[in-house]
Amino acid sequence: MRTHDCGMLRPEDLGKRVTLAGWVRFRRDHGGVLFFDLADCHGITQLVYDPEALGKEIDKKSLSDVLNTFGRECVVRATGVVRERVPGTEDPRNPTGAVEVLIEDAKLLNSSKPIPFEVAEQKNSLLANEDMRIHYRYLDLRRPQMIANLRFRHALISAAREHLNKAGFIEVETPMLTRSTAEGARDFLVPSRIQPGHFYALPQSPQLFKQMLMVGSVERYYQLARCFRDEDSRADRQPEFTQLDVELSFVEEADVHAAIEETLVHVWRKLFDKKLKTPFPQITFAESMARFGTDAPDMRFGLELVEVTETIRSSGYEVFHNILKKGGIVVCLNLKQSVVKEKDPEWGGVGRKEVDRLIDWAKQQGMGGLTWMRCTPNGLESNIVKYFPEEVRAALQKRMDAEPGDLLLFLAGPKMQTQKAGGALRMKLARENGLLEGKDHQFVWLVGCPLFQADPLTGKLSAFHHPFVRPVEGDIPEQCDMSKVMGISYDLVLDGSEIGSGSIRNHDPAVQRKVFKLLGLSDDAMEREFSFFLEALEYGAPPHGGIALGIDRLVSILLGCESIREVIAFPKNKRFQSLVDGAPAKVDQSKLSELMLISIAEEEEKRERVEDD
Ligand code: ASP
């Protein structure tokens, strides 16, 4: 239908007769000379109807009649000759901007309704609201930014596949209609018509299937797997998302890390023409919590937390003492004058007003408050330094490497809560002072995680990652503090976001049974839900392990997008609705009857309506 796409023409093509097809993005009428910006996913080319420049053989009347039907976003085809633009009207930002096509023949291929929002390239701040963009996603995708996002995602996935294929992995599809098991989040259920009262579940991940592939001797598996989790909607979550799911047999933790690092090295080379430095650094869970206040540390900048519980123990500051008595801790962060973006003329670094704002923020985070001391040429100063003897102040200053102009910020409370608040404070200060700008991406492996976490109130154990992680010792002693048992699991963290998670698995069914039991699964429940899997382990399961990388998150971080929805062609909105097709939706009663289901939601609705009236 066409000789060129809309991004191709250059001055070398002058004089060529070409045919283009695409969407009419804009039209302008300059006193009888008509200009059309013709767009497709490759670019934009200017078409011009210039009656005076046309030869006698061309029927101008019928050509202009056709062109008069060309409204915005109509699909058209035009044939004409490539010519130079009038000097001074070239568009240097557009690769085709030196030329235009003098229209000699044109055809309307399809018309368009008036568009609900602008689809031409524009600033993010001018975009239509997101629900609107998701509702008309096919129009939103016409924006060059969205096309670029999809292309980048495709390039990343292709590069990963390319490497994994070469490294001896095979891509295997695992079922979408699976058994509902009590692992992790809530399942999306699918009723079976043929076996009424029975349900499939959409997979939360291919975890058990990829492990069974290992039992089946597949050895090196991967899959671009769609996963489904019926969780409460949260800012940057999707109920369905894509993982690069990987599993290997006869491996230890380091082998899985290396397989992923090599894949990412290839992706980096392909996408950015850069050499990614490997091996990625590793940090233990405990160290990450202590230094960064999170299990997904952003290590692109310093501003680390330092625990000063022992340093301040001999101070007379009651607020801290009361917390220490209850087993709490005190963490400190040194906001160096040199990193403060807007320096206070009086205080050098952050000013008093700003400190008050930080104190309010800490209270909103559920902390009692925030204690501060500023470093001056005469030592530490603040409204409470009088409670800190000279030697404590000197020790603090030394420990925190505080120099005049620096500000020390202290948070105190129960260990985990205080570390997390410190981590949030660190990220807030980094964002506000531009510490993340222009930094190279930084991967880190989070390792050394516990196998279980205990509910602080009930003591009930839950899996720190998931129930299939192998304990470091291979087994769990009968009598021990379960919260101290470590598992061979790891997260891959990129720029402060967890983008992957994996582990070495229990290949010994007896250990797997023990873990289930410790997690509170009765023999009955274990039999009911996991007997198929436990049985598979009984037929000579090889030692194995793997990982899954969250593709939506990885792509959105690399593109600097605010939300993963920007890198998904047809995402759900924040309320998990698919606005483009209107899912979820009610279905006809006849469909429910066929499945032997009745909906009590309708009754509920009716009752609520009556109550409202
Ligand atoms: N199945 C796990 C998840 O979805 C990843 C893994 O352990 O391989 O988080």
Side-chain angles (χ1 to χ4, degrees):
M1 288 189 83
R2 59 185 184 183
T3 58
H4 294 74
D5 67 48
C6 293
M8 272 169 114
L9 296 176
R10 299 287 183 276
E12 302 84 273
D13 299 304
L14 288 176
K16 276 188 197 157
R17 219 180 131 75
V18 298
T19 300
L20 303 181
W23 288 266
V24 176
R25 194 102 327 145
F26 288 113
R27 63 175 284 163
R28 295 177 296 280
D29 184 344
H30 286 194
V33 178
L34 303 177
F35 292 92
F36 300 91
D37 283 345
L38 191 71
D40 62 13
C41 70
H42 308 282
I44 295 194
T45 300
Q46 177 165 295
L47 310 180
V48 54
Y49 170 66
D50 182 356
E52 284 183 11
L54 291 174
K56 283 207 196 63
E57 71 287 359
I58 291 178
D59 177 353
K60 293 176 201 164
K61 167 80 176 66
S62 49
L63 179 55
S64 88
D65 284 349
V66 172
L67 294 176
N68 280 334
T69 64
F70 284 14
R72 292 197 67 190
E73 296 304 313
C74 286
V75 191
V76 307
R77 187 169 69 167
T79 299
V81 175
V82 183
R83 71 176 195 185
E84 261 175 353
R85 290 206 193 175
V86 175
T89 66
E90 303 91 345
D91 179 0
R93 288 164 311 167
N94 183 351
T96 70
V99 301
E100 62 190 13
V101 175
L102 177 66
I103 308 171
E104 293 177 348
D105 186 23
K107 188 168 189 261
L108 179 70
L109 300 177
N110 210 347
S111 55
S112 170
K113 282 170 71 171
I115 45 175
F117 52 79
E118 189 52 69
V119 299
E121 191 161 7
Q122 60 189 324
K123 287 203 198 110
N124 279 352
S125 56
L126 297 177
L127 292 181
N129 86 47
E130 200 186 21
D131 273 3
M132 189 82 154
R133 288 177 50 212
I134 297 180
H135 184 136
Y136 295 101
R137 195 55 150 192
Y138 42 83
L139 293 179
D140 193 43
L141 289 176
R142 286 186 199 165
R143 292 191 304 112
Q145 183 61 61
M146 290 305 282
I147 292 284
N149 289 0
L150 291 186
R151 283 219 170 93
F152 181 89
R153 181 183 175 119
H154 165 73
L156 183 139
I157 289 175
S158 306
R161 276 201 164 108
E162 200 172 85
H163 172 79
L164 290 165
N165 295 345
K166 226 169 41 213
F169 287 80
I170 60 169
E171 183 163 13
V172 183
E173 289 152 282
T174 52
M176 283 285 129
L177 296 176
T178 67
R179 186 194 172 89
S180 173
T181 59
E183 106 202 55
R186 206 174 283 123
D187 286 324
F188 281 102
L189 296 177
V190 181
S192 159
R193 180 181 56 80
I194 294 173
Q195 291 177 63
H198 291 65
F199 295 83
Y200 303 98
L202 300 179
Q204 294 187 25
S205 86
Q207 184 65 33
L208 300 180
F209 287 97
K210 68 173 173 175
Q211 290 194 240
M212 290 191 289
L213 286 175
M214 297 303 111
V215 182
S217 84
V218 168
E219 205 173 295
R220 292 188 149 217
Y221 142 94
Y222 81 92
Q223 179 180 196
L224 258 302
R226 197 65 72 77
C227 306
F228 305 85
R229 296 183 192 172
D230 187 6
E231 292 171 308
D232 291 333
S233 59
R234 266 203 258 155
D236 207 17
R237 284 272 175 90
Q238 286 280 297
E240 59 177 308
F241 54 92
T242 307
Q243 286 185 342
L244 173 59
D245 197 40
V246 176
E247 196 76 7
L248 306 87
S249 290
F250 307 113
V251 288
E252 286 164 358
E253 179 174 5
D255 302 307
V256 181
H257 292 193
I260 290 303
E261 287 175 357
E262 284 158 19
T263 307
L264 289 169
V265 164
H266 184 73
V267 167
W268 248 243
R269 198 179 310 121
K270 280 290 217 211
L271 263 53
F272 309 116
D273 197 18
K274 273 197 182 157
K275 178 146 182 19
L276 196 58
K277 221 173 121 220
T278 55
F280 299 157
Q282 299 196 358
I283 187 167
T284 63
F285 174 69
E287 189 183 346
S288 182
M289 290 306 297
R291 287 171 56 197
F292 303 100
T294 168
D295 57 1
D298 190 332
M299 295 173 58
R300 290 173 295 171
F301 63 97
L303 207 64
E304 293 187 16
L305 307 177
V306 178
E307 192 183 326
V308 294
T309 313
E310 291 317 313
T311 320
I312 54 89
R313 202 174 278 283
S314 57
S315 80
Y317 188 45
E318 209 170 317
V319 174
F320 283 176
H321 272 288
N322 288 339
I323 286 166
L324 297 193
K325 256 189 260 156
K326 287 189 223 143
I329 62 165
V330 180
V331 301
C332 182
L333 197 151
N334 179 359
L335 184 58
K336 296 224 99 20
Q337 178 180 23
S338 53
V339 306
V340 174
K341 207 171 191 177
E342 279 167 33
K343 296 191 182 27
D344 182 72
E346 195 192 331
W347 278 23
V350 163
R352 178 69 231 222
K353 258 213 199 115
E354 185 58 22
V355 170
D356 284 340
R357 212 174 54 84
L358 293 173
I359 295 172
D360 286 343
W361 173 87
K363 287 183 181 155
Q364 279 163 24
Q365 304 296 303
M367 300 302 291
L370 181 88
T371 303
W372 59 271
M373 291 181 195
R374 69 190 182 106
C375 188
T376 74
N378 307 323
L380 297 178
E381 282 183 8
S382 85
N383 50 352
I384 50 127
V385 285
K386 54 178 182 275
Y387 302 112
F388 293 77
E390 181 60 45
E391 61 287 2
V392 174
R393 272 184 266 165
L396 266 179
Q397 192 170 342
K398 180 146 178 265
R399 181 124 212 249
M400 297 309 301
D401 187 24
E403 297 163 301
D406 293 356
L407 179 73
L408 300 185
L409 297 167
F410 300 82
L411 286 161
K415 183 168 175 177
M416 194 62 113
Q417 186 193 355
T418 306
Q419 288 178 331
K420 282 189 179 162
L425 177 62
R426 175 177 177 266
M427 287 313 294
K428 177 182 164 65
L429 293 172
R431 256 180 250 115
E432 288 176 355
N433 292 292
L435 303 189
L436 306 171
E437 285 160 21
K439 290 281 164 66
D440 274 348
H441 294 295
Q442 171 75 59
F443 282 104
V444 55
W445 289 106
L446 182 93
V447 298
C449 299
L451 195 60
F452 302 111
Q453 56 200 359
D455 184 293
L457 293 178
T458 62
K460 189 175 174 330
L461 296 179
S462 60
F464 189 85
H465 270 106
H466 57 50
F468 312 106
V469 176
R470 180 173 160 84
V472 168
E473 306 297 339
D475 201 350
I476 304 171
E478 288 305 330
Q479 297 296 330
C480 72
D481 177 355
M482 290 301 161
S483 67
K484 299 240 155 60
V485 177
M486 303 301 275
I488 314 177
S489 65
Y490 31 81
D491 286 347
L492 184 59
V493 177
L494 173 62
D495 300 349
S497 292
E498 182 204 308
I499 58 144
S501 161
S503 57
I504 299 297
R505 328 293 187 187
N506 289 311
H507 59 274
D508 179 342
V511 178
Q512 185 61 69
R513 282 207 162 81
K514 213 184 260 185
V515 173
F516 279 144
K517 208 162 196 144
L518 286 162
L519 290 172
L521 237 67
S522 64
D523 287 343
D524 259 8
M526 216 184 300
E527 203 48 41
R528 204 174 49 240
E529 303 207 1
F530 290 107
S531 63
F532 71 100
F533 177 66
L534 290 165
E535 188 178 14
L537 294 183
E538 273 154 16
Y539 285 102
H544 62 285
I547 189 165
L549 302 187
I551 291 298
D552 309 297
R553 172 95 357 107
L554 175 59
V555 172
S556 72
I557 292 175
L558 295 180
L559 287 174
C561 295
E562 298 231 320
S563 147
I564 58 171
R565 295 183 294 276
E566 296 298 315
V567 302
I568 299 174
F570 296 103
K572 311 281 185 284
N573 71 356
K574 288 185 187 155
R575 299 183 57 216
F576 286 4
Q577 296 162 304
S578 171
L579 295 176
V580 72
D581 62 343
K586 291 190 175 160
V587 295
D588 283 348
Q589 187 55 49
S590 60
K591 288 194 185 172
L592 291 181
S593 305
E594 211 171 29
L595 297 165
M596 306 266 262
L597 294 176
I598 43 171
S599 165
I600 56 170
E602 306 237 325
E603 292 302 316
E604 272 294 288
E605 258 177 42
K606 263 191 225 147
R607 199 175 51 79
E608 273 169 24
R609 239 180 283 136
V610 171
E611 271 173 21
D612 284 351
D613 290 346

